[in-house]
Every structure is written in structure tokens, then in C-alpha cells.
Amino acid sequence: MTEYVVIDTDEAFIDACRILSGGEGPIAVDVERASGFRYSQRAYLVQVFRRNAGAFLFDPIAISSFAPLQEAIGAEEWVFHAASQDLPSLHELGLEPARVFDTELAARLLGYERVGLAAVVERALGIVLAKEHSAADWSTRPLPNAWLEYAELDVLHLIDVRDFIAAELAESGKSGFAAEEFEATRTRPPKPPREEPWRRLSGLHQVRGAKNLAVARELWQAREDHARETDISPGRLVPDRALIAAVLADPQSKGALAAVTAFTGRASRSQLDRWWAAIERGRESTDLPRERVPSDAPPPPRAWADRNPEADARLKAARPVVEARAEELGMPTENLLTPETLRRVAWEPPAVIDASSIAAALAEREARPWQIAETAQRIADAFVESTQATSEPSETAS
């Protein structure tokens, strides 16, 4: 069995960067994180492959700076499978590609039924990849040889897959679509922090009253602080359902909290003082959270007929038109235009509805030029027809 080597010294890293610099063509890149195990989304292994250079496995924990790699390959095209998952971790290391090719995203645009890496590699090359280590704890040191084999295979065939898919994109006339999607992925800024991230607690809908919400907020923050300090995934310390159970149980003492059987997790008892202090802070808080959070998002479409009949008619007219065009193009509707984008434009359309105004509204919501070209006129026509359809009965009645 091949013994895989992880590069974990600066000297070996610089040598590898020199070899990669002398390779040919695009560079396949992948990242392994420890999601579900660690608090951070940092990279714990970076895999790189280039033709005439070979495959390299880098330990970002041990390497002092990735600047030599950026200098060696930064100007080249980097090939990913699901780039949006890996780019943030690479950005933390100072690695920024000038261009990207995303085989997963391209597979969606081509209408592949299965777009996971193993499925795409098998379709493109007839090679079957095992995916048994995808959810492993990559912060483990040393990394088992079987995991390293899996990690190398993630990049070893990716350039060949890229060439296969690029040919399919060209044949189907979708190369331009893909190029815009790749660039949008590469340049997409990180999402701004949520104003009240604690509201993402699973099961929070069961909590009633501002005081109890304050307790939930303090428990979430206490868990977040501890997770950050220990670099352990919050859910591994105390699951969401356990925090909610503690709130709903309304314990009146630290001992009563310890007696809540649904309050589980590896830190539920070892950090009991921390959780009880959070409950007390929540109960004493005068900065009570709102029980209902206002949103600028449209209501669920099922409520539109009563709340905004005109918008309901617009959405019902435009949605099948967009779906039909996606089917003609052989891609999922959400890749042609996200349902959320269409809903927002239908709920608050431009004052004057035509292709130009709809195009501007779509661009404002970050639709790409190719998406606008494929949908703006169709949406405008559907909106106008919906207006005519809703006005006809009243005109007949008069």
C-alpha cells in the first residue's frame, strides 16, 4: 500500500511550490476541514495537483505561510468541486485564485442528476471513488494513511474531469453561463454576520416569552464562547435541543438544571456553573429580545392570495415560465434563477414593467447577466399578462 506523505515543514513546502510552479495547466485544489468537530472552519489539509508536477498534501497547521504557494500558482486557473465551500478556508491562508473552474457547479448547469464528486468522476472518467472519509475529523494528527489516500484522490482526477466537463459546456453552448457563475463564486463577499445569530437555535420556536428568549440567548452565547475557547463545535459541547430543553424545563437551581435528563452533551455537566450563570443572566436581563423579528422578506407564497393578490398573480404567471426555460436549457430552475429572487421581484416589481426594468430589478438582486438575458423578457411578459388577466373580470362586469 502506498504511504502518503503530508508536507509539514516550510522547507519541504517551498520545494513543493517550486515543483508546482513548473507544472502545466490548471491546478486542482481541495480542502479538508473538521466541520462538526471544531469551532472554526479552518483548513486542516490542503490538497493540490497539477499535471507534470504531481499531487501534494499540505498541513496548514504546521506551515508558517502559504505565500510561496500563492506566488507559484496564484495567476493560474484553480479547479474545485464546490468552490464556495473551500474558498473561505483558503482565503484565511492567504490563497486567492485569479480564476476558478467549478466542476460541481458546471455539472448543475449541464443538468447532471447527481453532482457529488464521486458521481461526476464516475460519469466523466468511469472511475469509482470511495467517499467513506468525507465526514472525518481532519484535525486528527497524525492523519491515517487511508484518509490521505482519499484526500489525494479528491484532486488526482479533477483536471481530467474539468476537461471533460469543459467540452460538454462548449457543446451545449453553456461555456459563457459557466464562466459568469465561476467568477461570481470567486468574487462573492462573505455573508455579513447575523444580527442575532442565537435565533438560529433549532427548536427555538418552542420558546415563548421574552424572558425565556433571553435565557436561550444567554445559553447560546455561553456555549459559543466556550466553543471558541476550546475550538470544539458548539453542537458537540451541548446540542441545540439540550439548550432548548434547559429553557423549557425552567430549573430553579443548579441542581435542578443538572437533573434535566434532556440537558445532554459532553459539556452539559462539566460546565454546569457556566450554564447556570447564563440562565441567571438571562433571567436578570433588562435587554429583552423581541418576540417577533421583523423581516424584509416577502411572506410565504401561500399567503399571497389574501395579502397581495396582484403579486400572487404575478408569481403564478412567471414561475412556470422560468421553469419551462430552465427545462429547455437542461438545468435546475434554481440555477437559472433562484426562487427567492423571483419571489422578491414579484412581490415588489418595478413601477413600469418591461424587460429593461425587470432586468434592473434582477441585477439589483445579484442575478448574473446570462440569467437576466434568459429570464427578464419572459418575466416581464408574464407579469403584464397576469395584470391583464386579473383586470378582465372587472371590465366584463362593468
Side-chain angles (χ1 to χ4, degrees), residues 173-195:
K174 295 177 180 177
S175 296
F177 299 173
E180 289 186 28
E181 291 300 300
F182 298 162
E183 184 63 7
T185 300
R186 187 185 74 86
T187 58
R188 185 171 294 128
K191 290 183 179 179
R194 292 175 65 96
E195 186 178 341

Side-chain angles (χ1 to χ4, degrees), residues 39-211:
Y39 178 81
S40 69
Q41 289 299 305
R42 69 184 301 181
Y44 282 95
L45 190 71
V46 176
Q47 308 100 280
V48 179
F49 170 79
R50 193 177 195 186
R51 286 173 179 153
N52 294 338
F56 298 88
L57 307 176
F58 299 126
D59 182 355
I61 308 304
I63 294 167
S64 59
S65 170
F66 271 75
L69 183 60
Q70 178 66 25
E71 184 177 351
I73 65 172
E76 306 297 334
E77 177 186 273
W78 296 11
V79 182
F80 296 89
H81 192 81
S84 62
Q85 297 179 20
D86 293 338
L87 286 171
S89 299
L90 293 170
H91 177 74
E92 286 186 8
L93 297 173
L95 294 173
E96 304 281 355
R99 290 172 290 129
V100 303
F101 189 105
D102 188 333
T103 54
E104 192 254 8
L105 184 47
R108 292 183 185 278
L109 295 175
L110 289 167
Y112 284 21
E113 289 186 11
R114 298 163 60 219
V115 298
L117 178 61
V120 173
V121 170
E122 185 172 1
R123 174 168 177 158
L125 308 177
I127 296 171
V128 178
L129 297 182
K131 297 297 292 180
E132 64 267 27
H133 301 303
S134 58
D137 179 3
W138 289 91
S139 66
T140 300
R141 293 295 184 272
L143 286 163
N145 197 62
W147 296 15
L148 298 175
E149 179 184 23
Y150 155 85
E152 182 176 288
L153 287 172
D154 272 0
V155 292
L156 203 57
H157 304 295
L158 206 51
I159 303 301
D160 291 339
V161 171
R162 176 241 182 263
D163 291 348
F164 178 91
I165 286 182
E168 284 201 335
L169 289 170
E171 185 178 346
S172 62
K174 295 177 180 177
S175 296
F177 299 173
E180 289 186 28
E181 291 300 300
F182 298 162
E183 184 63 7
T185 300
R186 187 185 74 86
T187 58
R188 185 171 294 128
K191 290 183 179 179
R194 292 175 65 96
E195 186 178 341
E196 294 180 303
W198 61 273
R199 290 190 183 272
R200 296 186 67 183
L201 270 170
S202 178
L204 188 65
H205 64 279
Q206 302 172 65
V207 177
R208 296 287 183 267
K211 279 286 187 186

Side-chain angles (χ1 to χ4, degrees), residues 250-260 263 268-277 279-280 283:
D250 193 26
Q252 297 306 304
S253 67
K254 191 192 306 182
L257 173 61
V260 176
F263 187 57
S268 61
R269 301 302 184 274
S270 63
Q271 296 291 315
L272 196 62
D273 287 346
R274 181 187 297 268
W275 314 129
W276 180 246
I279 289 174
E280 290 188 314
R283 288 172 176 169

Side-chain angles (χ1 to χ4, degrees), residues 198 216-226 228 281:
W198 61 273
R217 177 184 63 193
E218 293 300 327
L219 279 170
W220 179 90
Q221 189 61 59
R223 185 185 67 174
E224 195 76 359
D225 293 342
H226 190 44
R228 188 183 299 107
R281 283 196 304 274

